[in-house]
Amino acid sequence: MSIIVNLDVVMAQRKIRSKDLAEQIGITEQNLSLLKTGKVRGIRFSTLEKICQTLGCQPGDILEYQKGNDQL
Amino acid sequence: MSYVMKLSKTMARLCVIVSIALPVTVIMVWFSNFWEPQSQIATMLHLSEINMIQRFLGITASSLFPAVLVFGLLNLRWTFLEASHARYFSEKAVSSFRTFAWSVFFAIPTRIIEGAMVSVITSWHLGEGNRQLSIGIGTPELASLFLAFLFVAIAHIWAEGQKYAEDSEQII
């Protein structure tokens, strides 16, 4: 997919574990793992808002568009 | 546990109870003349005049409609069980409801055939000219058929909804 999820990079920069982030944004660790690997159809604004709030970042830090990477 | 989940759990149990009660009721009806000889059903089925073979054939014929209905109810039970675990749009819940709907739909012609078979069974000991084959299609049958058709339509709409629910589940 041409949208790349850089959540793991931001998490590593903030030194936050998946378990803690999942707990703080109110989703399961399994769903967070799917989100990190980009194996989801979409992300809700509410989830994105909570992630940005917790990690102190912008949506653009987490999501990135890469041209020419259209295949799943 | 939400009230819908509690209700679903109760409904699942009710489906099992009715599934057991239906065949028992059929057997009781065909032996009802032993404890209530003058009952309306005993008179209607000529229970005091028919022999044991007729009685057992009657039970078999009368079991057709309940058998289809029990099959449907046991499938509906799965829908309720899934709902009691908050899996309202699971594949099992949807496919079970669809099977229930089709069972109700096919139960209506089965009831008509059953009625015809019972009329033959309960009248074949009578003299020539008094034996009968009665096929009854009336407003109740048509109303039931319409209701069954509604169930089938709802089941298919629900199946479409399930696809969207699956899609929505993949949005975090």
Side-chain angles (χ1 to χ4, degrees):
Chain A
M1 208 164 124
S2 51
I3 299 292
I4 310 294
V5 182
N6 290 321
L7 186 58
D8 47 354
V9 177
V10 182
M11 279 173 69
Q13 286 168 352
R14 304 291 190 276
K15 292 188 177 75
I16 187 166
R17 290 185 303 167
S18 294
K19 192 185 168 188
D20 298 328
L21 182 64
E23 209 170 275
Q24 286 185 53
I25 62 174
I27 63 170
T28 62
E29 243 188 293
Q30 193 190 359
N31 278 346
L32 185 66
S33 171
L34 290 170
L35 190 60
K36 274 160 65 181
T37 50
K39 288 176 183 166
V40 288
R41 274 187 179 271
I43 179 168
R44 290 193 178 90
F45 278 142
S46 56
T47 311
L48 192 60
E49 188 186 342
K50 281 178 197 164
I51 291 171
C52 291
Q53 207 171 34
T54 310
L55 298 176
C57 62
Q58 291 298 315
D61 299 331
I62 297 164
L63 305 173
E64 182 190 336
Y65 174 71
Q66 264 185 21
K67 205 176 175 184
N69 195 12
D70 290 343
Q71 282 151 355
L72 190 72
Chain B
M1 193 186 253
S2 74
Y3 83 95
V4 177
M5 286 158 85
K6 281 180 192 167
L7 179 71
S8 301
K9 206 171 181 178
T10 310
M11 290 307 288
R13 284 181 186 149
L14 203 66
C15 283
V16 176
I17 294 167
V18 175
S19 298
I20 296 166
L22 268 173
V24 173
T25 311
V26 170
I27 296 166
M28 282 175 73
V29 161
W30 283 88
F31 287 99
S32 63
N33 66 312
F34 289 116
W35 57 84
E36 188 109 34
Q38 300 306 317
S39 70
Q40 200 183 348
I41 193 89
T43 318
M44 204 173 77
L45 294 171
H46 310 286
L47 292 181
S48 53
E49 301 159 31
I50 61 169
N51 60 35
M52 271 298 164
I53 297 168
Q54 280 174 292
R55 207 179 290 260
F56 283 110
L57 281 173
I59 291 171
T60 311
S62 300
S63 299
L64 286 175
F65 173 68
V68 178
L69 217 56
V70 165
F71 175 72
L73 281 173
L74 290 177
N75 270 283
L76 185 64
R77 176 180 165 264
W78 278 110
T79 304
F80 285 129
L81 280 178
E82 288 290 289
S84 73
H85 291 100
R87 295 190 290 263
Y88 307 105
F89 280 100
S90 74
E91 208 182 325
K92 182 88 181 159
V94 175
S95 66
S96 300
F97 186 77
R98 196 159 40 186
T99 311
F100 162 74
W102 279 112
S103 302
V104 173
F105 191 80
F106 285 114
I108 315 304
T110 309
R111 192 162 70 179
I112 296 165
I113 295 166
E114 178 196 299
M117 285 168 79
V118 167
S119 73
V120 173
I121 292 164
T122 54
S123 67
W124 88 32
H125 64 284
L126 301 171
E128 224 169 280
N130 288 320
R131 292 176 191 139
Q132 39 174 295
L133 164 67
S134 74
I135 300 167
I137 302 170
T139 314
E141 281 76 23
L142 292 175
S144 304
L145 206 63
F146 174 67
L147 201 67
F149 185 69
L150 288 184
F151 280 148
V152 171
I154 290 167
H156 280 83
I157 292 168
W158 196 357
E160 280 300 307
Q162 187 223 349
K163 287 177 195 165
Y164 289 99
E166 262 176 17
D167 228 36
S168 173
E169 263 175 29
Q170 289 176 33
I171 297 172
I172 310 273

